[in-house]
Amino acid sequence: MTRLLLLEGNTAPKRARAHELGVRTSSEIYIEAIAAHYPDIALDVLNGADEGETIPGGRTWSDYAGFVVTGSALHAYDAEFAVTNQIEWLKQAAEAGLPIFGSCWGLQIAAVAAGGEVAYNPKGREVGFARKILLNDAGRAHPMFKGKAPVFDAPCIHYDEVIRLPESATLLASNAHSEIQAAVIPLANSEVWAVQYHPEFDLAQLVQLYTLYAEDMVTQGFFADMAELASYREKLEALAADPANAGLAWQLGVDEDVLDNRIRRAEILAWIEAKVLSR
């Protein structure tokens, strides 16, 4: 059986709080996304921010066909255990030669692990949708973007960004907010296919984000007040329930690159096809 190991990026208190609020954890979102297309792939979760955590079920690296790094609320430039331990887990997976995919946090800690740099983006938070992500020549030629348009939007939420890629890395995509929206980062005996946005997110997750960070959204000027945010969130929730509603899609400025599950998740699916199932 093909088996993947998912590195959950958040701490135990953060995961517990998510469950209290009825919000999926980062690894739970990934599990749903992958299982929707590959129900026969077994998925294990490693809570890499937790002390004393071990690979589940007494398994070893040789039991896995790939390693996935999920999102996180942590900062890759902090020296705390929850951060450095996850970077160490990533390095171990790379030493074992496992194919690696990462989104957001995954891109950031892969860059740090390979000698790059992450910092707070002075432009502030990119949230909801990363608009007009543009593939460069390397990105258009790379198999990760098979089935993806050369310019697309994608779900996202981040304050931090990679500001310097490792010398060995290849930049694949950028937008006006973050120059590094996708890259391939060689690491030890492997390479990391990684994106700054969240192809695993669905519209329901964005509704949850606008609920969790409602005060921030207003304070930071994304919405004039709570009433305006609530109206936007209601439209987003309605579109999540009825993705075929062309009127709502037009009002929210989204199309098939977000609404079509296979297109939105294309990077993850391409990685699984090219790097995992081919092993």
Side-chain angles (χ1 to χ4, degrees), residues 78-103:
D78 287 343
E80 62 183 277
F81 173 87
V83 174
T84 58
N85 196 51
Q86 291 191 64
I87 293 172
E88 180 57 33
W89 278 116
L90 175 60
K91 288 180 177 178
Q92 288 185 34
E95 288 287 349
L98 291 185
I100 300 169
F101 185 89
S103 57

Side-chain angles (χ1 to χ4, degrees), residues 87-100 109-115 166 168-169 184-192 275:
I87 293 172
E88 180 57 33
W89 278 116
L90 175 60
K91 288 180 177 178
Q92 288 185 34
E95 288 287 349
L98 291 185
I100 300 169
I109 65 170
V112 171
S168 58
V184 173
I185 302 175
L187 186 63
N189 299 315
S190 182
E191 65 178 13
V192 185
K275 305 293 284 187

Side-chain angles (χ1 to χ4, degrees), residues 80-241:
E80 62 183 277
F81 173 87
V83 174
T84 58
N85 196 51
Q86 291 191 64
I87 293 172
E88 180 57 33
W89 278 116
L90 175 60
K91 288 180 177 178
Q92 288 185 34
E95 288 287 349
L98 291 185
I100 300 169
F101 185 89
S103 57
C104 197
W105 174 245
L107 170 65
Q108 293 169 14
I109 65 170
V112 171
E117 187 177 356
V118 173
Y120 175 82
N121 189 328
K123 296 175 184 176
R125 174 181 268 159
E126 186 176 38
V127 61
F129 301 104
R131 300 290 188 179
K132 297 181 180 179
I133 298 169
L134 172 66
L135 298 177
N136 59 22
D137 289 345
R140 288 191 293 274
H142 196 277
M144 178 162 60
F145 292 103
K146 179 182 178 181
K148 207 83 169 181
V151 181
F152 58 92
D153 296 344
C156 72
I157 180 169
H158 66 108
Y159 275 121
D160 298 336
E161 63 175 1
V162 178
I163 61 170
R164 182 175 58 82
L165 281 170
E167 291 183 4
S168 58
T170 302
L171 176 66
L172 301 179
S174 309
N175 76 348
H177 187 277
S178 294
E179 180 183 357
I180 301 168
Q181 285 283 358
V184 173
I185 302 175
L187 186 63
N189 299 315
S190 182
E191 65 178 13
V192 185
W193 290 15
V195 297
Q196 180 56 67
Y197 49 93
H198 285 277
E200 75 277 16
F201 278 9
D202 51 25
L203 291 179
Q205 180 62 18
L206 297 183
V207 173
Q208 292 176 338
L209 293 178
Y210 285 121
T211 302
L212 283 171
Y213 302 110
E215 291 186 6
D216 284 354
M217 294 293 96
V218 174
T219 301
Q220 295 167 12
F222 290 97
F223 299 93
D225 51 36
M226 286 294 185
E228 185 176 82
L229 183 149
S231 176
Y232 180 88
R233 190 173 56 210
E234 287 168 6
K235 289 181 180 180
L236 194 60
E237 191 169 20
L239 185 59

Side-chain angles (χ1 to χ4, degrees), residues 12-26:
K14 193 76 172 181
R15 300 193 304 272
R17 181 58 177 160
H19 288 149
E20 286 175 9
L21 298 172
V23 176
R24 294 167 294 176
T25 65
S26 295

